[in-house]
Amino acid sequence: MEFIRLPKVENVKLLDRVSPRRSRVGTLYLTATHTIFVENEAGVRNETWVLHSLVCSLEKQAATSSGYPLLIHCKNFQVLHFAIPREQECQDVHLSLQRLSQPESYEELYCFSYKPNVDDEERQNEWDFMNLKADYSRMGLPNAHWKLSPANRNYKVSDTYPADLFVPESATPPVIVGSSKFRSRGRFPTLSYYSKENHAAICRSSQPLSGFSARCLEDEQMLEAILRSNPCSDFMYVVDTRPKLNAIANRAAGKGYENEDNYSNIKFQFIGIENIHVMRNSQQKMLEVCELRSPSMSDFLEGLESSGWLKHIKAVLDAGIFITKAVAEEGVSVLVHCSDGWDRTAQVCSVACVLLDPYYRTLQGLMVLIEKDWISFGHKFSHRCNHLVGDPKEVSPVIDQFLECVWQLMEQFPCAFEFNERFLITIHSHIYSCQYGNFIDLNLLPSTHSLWSYLWTNRTDYINPLYRPDHSQTQGLLRPSTAPYCFKFWRGLYNRFDQGIHPRQSVEDYLRTIQEETQQLEEQLASHKQSPTASGLILLPQDLNQTSIFSLSNSSDPESGIADLSCRSPLSEDSTRDPDSDEAVYSAA
Amino acid sequence: MCIMRQGHKEELMEFSEHIKTANVEDVVLHQPLHPPSRGTLCITGHHLLFSDREENSTRQILLLLRNIDAIEKSVENLLGYSSLFSKADYSKRISGSSGTITVKCKDLRVLQLDIPGMEQCLNIAHSIETLSCLNDVSEMYPFFYRPSDLSSQDQWGLSSSEKYYSEHKELHKRWRLSSVNRDYSVCPSYPPAVIVPKDIDDDTLKKVAKFRQSGRFPVLCYYHRKNGMVIMRGGQPLTGANRKRCREDELLLQAVIDSSDKGYIIDTRSSQQVQQARMTGGGFESKSSYSCWKRLHRQMEKGKALQESLIKLVEACGDESQNMDRWLSKLENSKWLSHVQTALSTAGLLAECVERDGHSVLVHGSEGTDCTLLVSTLAQLIMDPCCRTLEGFLALLEREWVQAGHPFQLRCAHSAYSHVRLQQESPVFLLLLDCVWQLWRQFPLALGFSEALLLRLATEAYFSNYGTFLCNNDQERCALGVKEKTYCLFHSLLKPTEKEHYTNPLYEPTDLAIWPSVHPQSLQLWRGFFLRWTPQTRHLEEAQEEIRNMVIEWGKVALS
């Protein structure tokens, strides 16, 4: 609270980027956790809430006729443009928010002050909801080829690895320890996914400390053991997800990649996904394009091209497909690494899992996958998502790219995923919001709440009504095309808060309604067959507020819901209100 | 050959001079989404027929020759390579040569035919080249097509000015139906009956027609029930370099609006373009002569530029390279989506003038047969719920495109693959369908028809069994007896057996205007059309089937 210089400013304008006419006047409040804008209009209580932890940058601009502009960019891609009447007020808000949005210690994170009305026992249950061991036993592990290793029980071998790890049956503790000493951050090769149909496995690690000529017998034995744990195959792939030049450069620092001559029966392959810095800049460029005031089609397409973003998404998906084909079609095991093995490796392994196994395309499966390949294997959420004030060069949208790959796949296979776009967007928001303890790399979890349990409790909001477990699209392997024209710009995420841009009616909401209604009617029919049912049914009225994506950090403005169903009821008076945004566009074009 | 019905004997006689080889055995057909198959190829006056030779299957592929936009042939003498073939193969090809014909269709499908025998291959190629672009309309297939389930006694068409006038009683006070064009002498590209202001008599109309390009004097095409405002369309005024005036033209426009009111003129050309147009006899309505009318200029691309845009887009979609930068730059460079954006935003502007500002609007470009129709059609869809049903949409197309004189024969003679030198081809109608698809994506519940309908229309305009899109205007259709001698596409689409496929299962009528977003992020490539023959489209079709099934299921339960 001591950081709040000014708790309340009146007569603040919230400007609308797309159409200036929709700008609103109201009061701005700063609280310990949120910035809240309350619109002045009589009769309506229209509030916009922004969590401090979602703020990613603040920008003061030169004064205009409407006041002193303060631009707030959020990590969920919301952009708020305030105009504050007096310079001093603007200065105070700016300084307060600057401090509030950059916590310096873990204790300041929102998850420690977020206290929903839940008792301790229930909260403990929330954390027990996620059980990775269950996923490994779903894969059929442990078995004759793979065993649970106690080597990292106390996080001594690798402090960024989970305690429970699966290694080849023949990998002895000395081999594990020896191999770990030859790998960056001790991240030795270990299992990520096992295909019980053909024994092929996806393993992951960090880069070997090979330099120009160094060798390590235990590391070579480790790979040999992985190869032997797949009785059907006489070689394995080692995939380095970096561009070859980057890997070669690492050799000078005593790191590098596997020499095919030293490891028996490996096929070595570079994949060429760019590093975190390239990805950060690329997303930044793309976001600049999204924020153009009234871009022409050419401005937009040229900007999208020069950002390179979709090219990078394609690279990640292509890498996932390479691994999927090796495992499913060739029956060959794959070891994946990059430098530290927690960014590109996490992306590629988890994309491959989504392609390989229909389970990871279910609601529960995707949560398990993120827990397994990202959280448990030490993706540095705090650095990458900038949870605490830190080095801006460590920030990178690595997890965004994974979520986008899943979205691109959903666009290609509309019936194959149990969850909807809203699910991905909600996960994305909460990775950045720090409302839940899942993405905080610290052992303070028990006093926080778990996102997974929240999502599971509210799962009806996240179900894709077109999902059919028995549909041909759902079965087995996904075989996406990665022809460039298959990739789309993800408007739903990057322009999520620009209301005028989205479809005005939602097929998904409509289908959900008739699905619920069909179920209800079927139940009614089953329970009392004699009673007459109304034959002329009207769709259940939709509560617009229900469509708002998540409870606290989102604007409570009912118009911000994904779907605008105003057109569904001819009596609604919304007809002149909603389209306002376009008026300027037609005339400006 | 069950497809051949009576009438075909005569047809075969007529076209036999172009067919030297009518049948070839042992042809291999490669087509998208199917494995190659071996069978018999047969060519007739209007069709390519391929019959699969696989046992237990009688699969036939019938391709209207008019669908073929371009062919590429390559023949090679195989004698030199004979040692490469096994004995059996060798004896089969003892003729010593074979050829390949790549067939590129107007529906964007690309087929390949491997034909044994160089001479046969060349004969087939020659027949396709000649028969696929016959210029004589009366020789085209719609005049030979005899479907068993439609009767030629059926009424032709769904709508007309007369019908529109009689359905809108509110019009009768200030508007009348004029038959000044009953013999097409005043405006060859207009239908015999048109709706004009009541105060303007036929003699005045004749004078106005002389002052407007191609005689296209301003006529009413839409009446907005909510506020009584109208959309008029016509050709450009022929003011020329000397700023000529026409009192009758000014009177007509004055009669459209009340004296106290004002109106808008949306000109689909830029202000520079209209100045240039004056040098060649065209022009615009000047402020001084038309003081109650405010001109708005929106430059829309048409003609050759639009055709080239389509060619570039189709070329980009066929690019096999995996390069993302290249794809995005080709997509941008084609400018197709920019044209979609301009068309929708101009239509939005028009609808805004009528619905929001409550003013009547006159739309024209130069001739008023292309972009003018595009904009007025889209604006009607935005504002008028009656146009959004399946029947209403087809009726709208009939009034605004077929009867309003969009020259389909010239515009749709060739499509994106053709090597023929461009003449008057231009995919304005395709652009309309793309814009309607964008509307459908943004308001998936508000339109009564399905994407399948748009896809069907996108091909029917280029090649068809039906007479609906034949010729360039009503006068030509009348002269050839199209309505007597061919069948009507719109009636066939509305047959009970077909109709379900073309209706939107999610349709929920709304009286509200549907304002499209024209942000670049809101507009998308129409994959269903431009990437129709890729396997990805299949997954999206499956999703549409799933949606249809869910609605059917819901309907069943609700009724029980």
Side-chain angles (χ1 to χ4, degrees):
Chain A
M1 285 306 236
E2 67 268 35
F3 308 129
I4 302 172
R5 291 161 171 254
L6 189 64
K8 180 179 172 188
V9 191
E10 285 180 353
N11 288 319
V12 172
K13 248 191 200 157
L14 178 57
L15 304 171
D16 190 303
R17 183 171 56 186
V18 176
S19 105
R21 282 213 244 157
R22 289 175 56 135
S23 299
R24 295 170 284 177
V25 179
T27 308
L28 190 69
Y29 297 93
L30 294 188
T31 73
T33 53
H34 291 84
T35 303
I36 305 165
F37 176 80
V38 183
E39 201 179 331
N40 280 346
E41 208 178 312
V44 271
R45 190 162 170 79
N46 217 339
E47 296 175 5
T48 307
W49 289 55
V50 179
L51 203 54
H52 295 325
S53 45
L54 277 173
V55 172
C56 94
S57 74
L58 296 155
E59 190 188 330
K60 277 198 298 179
Q61 290 179 337
T64 67
S65 56
S66 42
Y68 294 84
L70 180 67
L71 226 72
I72 304 181
H73 281 87
C74 300
K75 296 171 185 174
N76 60 358
F77 311 116
Q78 184 167 23
V79 183
L80 291 158
H81 195 158
F82 289 112
I84 298 174
R86 272 177 290 275
E87 189 170 15
Q88 187 56 43
E89 290 168 336
C90 182
Q91 175 75 4
D92 285 344
V93 172
H94 182 240
L95 288 174
S96 311
L97 277 177
Q98 211 161 36
R99 180 60 188 84
L100 289 165
S101 64
Q102 297 191 326
E104 287 169 359
S105 69
Y106 281 104
E107 293 73 35
E108 288 178 36
L109 291 177
Y110 182 50
C111 55
F112 298 109
S113 54
Y114 173 61
K115 302 273 181 251
N117 194 12
V118 173
D119 65 38
D120 276 356
E121 192 186 343
E122 251 178 275
R123 197 177 57 209
Q124 193 45 51
N125 290 341
E126 282 183 16
W127 288 105
D128 295 340
F129 170 73
M130 180 57 68
N131 179 359
L132 281 186
K133 269 196 188 145
D135 190 43
Y136 288 110
S137 47
R138 191 189 61 83
M139 295 180 208
L141 300 180
N143 65 7
H145 307 290
W146 293 89
K147 65 180 181 194
L148 186 63
S149 161
N152 201 36
R153 271 286 141 80
N154 302 315
Y155 305 100
K156 288 244 170 69
V157 180
S158 173
D159 59 355
T160 56
Y161 260 4
D164 293 332
L165 287 165
F166 283 88
V167 295
E169 181 59 38
S170 59
T172 59
V175 167
I176 294 174
V177 173
S179 166
S180 81
K181 294 205 167 117
F182 190 63
R183 297 268 168 184
S184 284
R185 304 292 302 252
R187 295 169 67 93
F188 60 90
T190 178
L191 182 119
S192 165
Y193 179 76
Y194 173 75
S195 158
K196 57 181 170 209
E197 285 80 24
N198 60 9
H199 306 297
I202 303 175
C203 295
R204 55 184 289 175
S205 70
S206 59
Q207 63 187 335
L209 304 176
S210 50
F212 290 102
S213 57
R215 292 182 63 167
C216 168
L217 186 62
E218 290 91 343
D219 195 61
E220 288 161 24
Q221 286 170 337
M222 188 71 182
L223 263 66
E224 175 87 43
I226 293 173
L227 171 58
R228 273 205 306 272
S229 69
N230 180 358
C232 314
S233 166
D234 51 10
F235 75 97
M236 67 181 280
Y237 287 106
V238 175
V239 170
D240 189 329
T241 56
R242 298 170 293 185
K244 189 173 183 183
L245 271 177
N246 301 19
I248 289 174
N250 263 299
R251 280 168 48 178
K255 300 166 187 173
Y257 53 93
E258 292 81 355
N259 183 337
E260 273 186 341
D261 299 338
N262 299 342
Y263 294 84
S264 46
N265 304 312
I266 67 163
K267 279 192 187 167
F268 187 84
Q269 181 87 33
F270 285 112
I271 289 223
I273 301 174
E274 297 292 347
N275 65 24
I276 57 168
H277 312 294
V278 174
M279 299 309 193
R280 179 181 57 246
N281 294 334
S282 168
Q283 192 189 46
Q284 196 49 48
K285 276 191 184 168
M286 178 185 64
L287 293 174
E288 281 162 20
V289 176
C290 297
E291 285 176 35
L292 291 176
R293 222 167 265 269
S294 51
S296 71
M297 200 64 186
S298 296
D299 294 338
F300 178 75
L301 289 174
E302 278 167 7
L304 189 61
E305 183 205 332
S306 73
S307 78
W309 181 256
L310 288 176
K311 181 170 66 185
H312 299 312
I313 298 293
K314 175 171 154 57
V316 174
L317 195 53
D318 275 327
I321 291 172
F322 176 87
I323 291 162
T324 305
K325 282 191 173 151
V327 169
E329 287 172 2
E330 299 179 60
V332 174
S333 294
V334 185
L335 170 66
V336 186
H337 69 72
C338 45
S339 302
D340 288 312
W342 52 43
D343 292 316
R344 287 168 273 204
T345 302
Q347 285 178 330
V348 170
C349 290
S350 51
V351 166
C353 282
V354 169
L355 294 171
L356 278 166
D357 194 331
Y359 173 68
Y360 295 119
R361 293 171 229 144
T362 64
L363 227 116
Q364 200 184 27
L366 189 78
M367 297 193 281
V368 166
L369 185 62
I370 294 174
E371 182 77 24
K372 172 171 77 78
D373 273 325
W374 294 79
I375 298 174
S376 87
F377 277 105
H379 176 69
K380 302 198 295 175
F381 285 101
S382 284
H383 286 129
R384 298 291 177 258
C385 307
N386 208 11
H387 288 159
L388 293 172
V389 60
D391 183 358
K393 287 211 161 61
E394 283 284 305
V395 179
S396 188
V398 184
I399 185 88
D400 298 22
Q401 290 182 316
F402 165 66
L403 294 173
E404 178 164 341
C405 284
V406 176
W407 178 81
Q408 299 282 359
L409 291 170
M410 284 161 67
E411 286 290 294
Q412 276 197 41
F413 302 95
C415 307
F417 290 80
E418 189 191 19
F419 46 84
N420 57 17
E421 182 184 23
R422 197 175 299 174
F423 186 60
L424 298 180
I425 292 175
T426 307
I427 292 176
H428 179 273
S429 282
H430 283 305
I431 285 173
Y432 288 88
S433 75
C434 297
Q435 185 168 333
Y436 296 93
N438 305 66
F439 309 100
I440 312 300
D441 18 327
L442 209 65
N443 287 330
L444 293 167
L445 300 182
S447 63
T448 66
H449 293 267
S450 166
L451 173 64
W452 306 139
S453 152
Y454 165 81
L455 292 174
W456 187 248
T457 313
N458 295 287
R459 59 188 176 278
T460 47
D461 291 346
Y462 306 120
I463 295 286
N464 167 17
L466 290 177
Y467 174 69
R468 298 282 173 279
D470 52 353
H471 197 281
S472 60
Q473 279 183 27
T474 316
Q475 305 303 308
L477 212 60
L478 277 193
R479 296 171 197 277
S481 161
T482 58
Y485 56 69
C486 290
F487 291 82
K488 297 186 195 168
F489 168 75
W490 192 3
R491 169 181 72 193
L493 183 64
Y494 304 113
N495 279 113
R496 176 179 159 203
F497 293 91
D498 296 303
Q499 293 166 26
I501 282 178
H502 303 281
R504 306 310 165 83
Q505 297 175 321
S506 157
V507 172
E508 198 186 304
D509 288 346
Y510 183 96
L511 292 178
R512 183 172 305 118
T513 311
I514 66 168
Q515 200 169 37
E516 279 164 16
E517 214 167 288
T518 307
Q519 267 168 19
Q520 278 171 13
L521 286 166
E522 275 170 347
E523 280 161 22
Q524 277 175 20
L525 281 176
S527 61
H528 33 109
K529 277 188 176 159
Q530 275 81 11
S531 76
T533 331
S535 56
L537 268 156
I538 305 158
L539 280 171
L540 300 172
Q542 299 252 334
D543 180 359
L544 285 172
N545 286 311
Q546 266 181 358
T547 54
S548 116
I549 289 173
F550 62 101
S551 51
L552 277 161
S553 43
N554 191 21
S555 144
S556 61
D557 174 359
E559 283 177 88
S560 70
I562 278 187
D564 180 357
L565 297 168
S566 61
C567 291
R568 293 264 303 276
S569 66
L571 295 173
S572 154
E573 293 181 351
D574 224 22
S575 71
T576 48
R577 190 164 169 197
D578 183 69
D580 269 347
S581 60
D582 301 313
E583 200 165 334
V585 174
Y586 301 140
S587 340
Chain B
M1 281 198 208
C2 49
I3 328 91
M4 303 278 175
R5 291 176 202 287
Q6 78 248 68
H8 281 254
K9 207 171 241 168
E10 176 191 338
E11 174 195 340
L12 286 175
M13 296 287 283
E14 250 175 76
F15 300 108
S16 58
E17 55 178 303
H18 301 301
I19 304 174
K20 288 206 191 94
T21 302
N23 284 288
V24 193
E25 299 282 332
D26 226 14
V27 172
V28 177
L29 169 74
H30 305 261
Q31 55 174 335
L33 312 178
H34 293 281
S37 54
R38 195 177 285 271
T40 305
L41 182 73
C42 171
I43 189 162
T44 74
H46 292 109
H47 289 102
L48 263 191
L49 175 69
F50 179 86
S51 332
D52 211 323
R53 230 184 31 184
E54 305 300 319
E55 276 171 44
N56 309 326
S57 92
T58 48
R59 204 165 53 132
Q60 290 189 329
I61 290 145
L62 187 67
L63 195 71
L64 207 54
L65 287 169
R66 190 80 195 160
N67 184 2
I68 297 174
D69 206 25
I71 64 167
E72 283 155 22
K73 51 184 186 280
S74 67
V75 284
E76 58 188 26
N77 194 322
L78 284 171
L79 276 178
Y81 304 99
S82 58
S83 58
L84 293 174
F85 289 90
S86 69
K87 273 232 167 93
D89 237 6
Y90 178 72
S91 60
K92 217 185 262 173
R93 289 164 195 261
I94 195 76
S95 55
S97 60
S98 84
T100 294
I101 302 178
T102 305
V103 179
K104 297 186 169 177
C105 300
K106 292 170 183 167
D107 61 11
L108 305 186
R109 194 166 15 164
V110 178
L111 309 173
Q112 188 190 313
L113 296 162
D114 299 337
I115 298 170
M118 184 162 68
E119 199 188 332
Q120 287 172 317
C121 179
L122 290 174
N123 284 345
I124 296 279
H126 178 74
S127 301
I128 295 177
E129 275 168 342
T130 319
L131 293 167
S132 64
C133 41
L134 292 174
N135 280 323
D136 188 348
V137 176
S138 63
E139 285 184 349
M140 286 181 187
Y141 188 61
F143 287 96
F144 300 89
Y145 178 59
R146 297 289 170 265
S148 53
D149 53 351
L150 278 178
S151 147
S152 58
Q153 311 305 320
D154 284 344
Q155 206 203 344
W156 220 88
L158 306 169
S159 186
S160 63
S161 303
E162 290 97 325
K163 207 166 166 220
Y164 191 82
Y165 188 74
S166 70
E167 282 167 0
H168 291 75
K169 297 273 184 282
E170 314 90 313
L171 273 175
H172 297 189
K173 210 173 115 206
R174 291 187 51 224
W175 301 83
R176 69 185 184 95
L177 203 58
S178 164
S179 49
V180 67
N181 198 39
R182 74 181 77 78
D183 55 359
Y184 304 105
S185 60
V186 178
C187 173
S189 59
Y190 270 173
V194 288
I195 305 171
V196 294
K198 205 161 203 167
D199 302 341
I200 303 298
D201 61 23
D202 282 358
D203 286 337
T204 312
L205 290 177
K206 283 181 189 162
K207 287 178 186 150
V208 176
K210 294 214 169 73
F211 185 64
R212 291 273 170 178
Q213 176 155 6
S214 312
R216 294 176 70 90
F217 55 91
V219 295
L220 178 139
C221 66
Y222 174 66
Y223 177 80
H224 196 49
R225 280 195 163 118
K226 280 181 205 157
N227 59 12
M229 295 301 132
V230 300
I231 301 178
M232 310 280 296
R233 53 171 161 71
Q236 67 177 338
L238 303 174
T239 52
N242 303 326
R243 301 181 187 274
K244 212 168 69 189
R245 289 178 65 164
C246 169
R247 206 175 56 85
E248 289 78 6
D249 192 69
E250 291 162 24
L251 274 176
L252 191 154
L253 288 196
Q254 195 55 48
V256 171
I257 50 177
D258 294 330
S259 50
S260 58
D261 203 359
K262 65 166 182 173
Y264 286 105
I265 294 170
I266 293 182
D267 196 317
T268 62
R269 303 162 296 173
S270 69
S271 25
Q272 291 95 319
Q273 282 175 321
V274 300
Q275 292 293 350
Q276 281 162 13
R278 275 178 47 220
M279 301 307 137
T280 50
F284 55 92
E285 295 85 353
S286 67
K287 192 81 207 159
S288 52
S289 319
Y290 300 83
S291 56
C292 292
W293 291 82
K294 185 173 163 47
R295 261 184 304 122
L296 302 169
H297 293 278
R298 288 290 179 279
Q299 187 184 344
M300 295 178 72
E301 222 54 74
K302 57 171 200 168
K304 209 171 176 180
L306 203 56
Q307 181 72 15
E308 277 163 1
S309 168
L310 174 70
I311 292 170
K312 282 184 189 166
L313 177 63
V314 169
E315 202 266 321
C317 292
D319 188 338
E320 306 257 317
S321 85
Q322 289 284 309
N323 187 325
M324 182 68 75
D325 291 349
R326 187 163 148 159
W327 157 250
L328 287 172
S329 117
K330 281 186 161 188
L331 179 64
E332 190 278 310
N333 191 36
S334 80
K335 298 278 182 245
W336 181 263
L337 285 171
S338 303
H339 301 321
V340 170
Q341 188 185 33
T342 311
L344 278 171
S345 87
T346 310
L349 178 73
L350 168 52
E352 215 167 71
C353 292
V354 175
E355 156 107 14
R356 292 254 183 73
D357 290 2
H359 291 295
S360 290
V361 181
L362 166 66
V363 202
H364 68 74
S366 34
E367 279 205 66
T369 52
D370 295 291
C371 291
T372 302
L373 308 180
L374 175 58
V375 171
S376 79
T377 307
L378 288 172
Q380 293 182 51
L381 272 171
I382 291 172
M383 290 187 287
D384 184 5
C386 303
C387 300
R388 302 185 206 134
T389 63
L390 175 59
E391 290 86 346
F393 179 59
L394 295 177
L396 176 70
L397 292 182
E398 185 168 38
R399 284 194 310 273
E400 287 296 88
W401 291 79
V402 178
Q403 291 164 3
H406 176 68
F408 279 99
Q409 203 67 40
L410 294 171
R411 298 289 182 259
C412 302
H414 293 283
S415 184
Y417 289 125
S418 176
H419 307 304
V420 179
R421 202 169 65 87
L422 286 182
Q423 289 175 331
Q424 300 217 41
E425 291 82 1
S426 185
V428 192
F429 187 66
L430 186 61
L431 183 61
L432 168 85
L433 296 172
D434 194 330
C435 292
V436 176
W437 180 80
Q438 308 282 349
L439 266 180
W440 181 77
R441 290 279 298 186
Q442 294 189 20
F443 296 90
L445 315 180
L447 299 175
F449 45 87
S450 63
E451 181 179 13
L453 179 81
L454 300 175
L455 290 169
R456 176 83 189 263
L457 292 169
T459 54
E460 291 285 338
Y462 283 84
F463 59 92
S464 181
N465 293 344
Y466 300 91
T468 301
F469 294 120
L470 286 181
C471 305
N472 294 306
N473 53 49
D474 224 35
Q475 184 184 26
E476 288 180 22
R477 276 184 284 271
C478 187
L480 288 173
V482 167
K483 291 184 187 179
E484 293 77 35
K485 294 178 187 158
T486 74
Y487 288 83
C488 170
L489 170 69
F490 297 148
H491 279 295
S492 135
L493 297 176
L494 292 172
K495 277 188 309 195
T497 45
E498 302 268 304
K499 201 173 163 178
E500 199 205 310
H501 185 52
Y502 298 117
T503 47
N504 175 6
L506 303 177
Y507 179 49
E508 293 251 296
T510 166
D511 284 342
L512 299 179
I514 51 172
W515 301 100
S517 161
V518 295
H519 296 276
Q521 289 98 315
S522 309
L523 303 174
Q524 295 189 330
L525 176 67
W526 185 12
R527 277 150 220 273
F529 181 74
F530 292 106
L531 298 166
R532 186 175 187 172
W533 306 102
T534 59
Q536 291 75 47
T537 306
R538 178 71 203 128
H539 302 309
L540 305 183
E541 286 167 4
E542 282 170 358
Q544 289 300 323
E545 283 162 31
E546 207 55 60
I547 290 174
R548 197 173 287 276
N549 290 339
M550 279 180 76
V551 177
I552 291 171
E553 188 61 26
W554 171 63
K556 268 191 212 153
V557 179
L559 281 173
S560 62

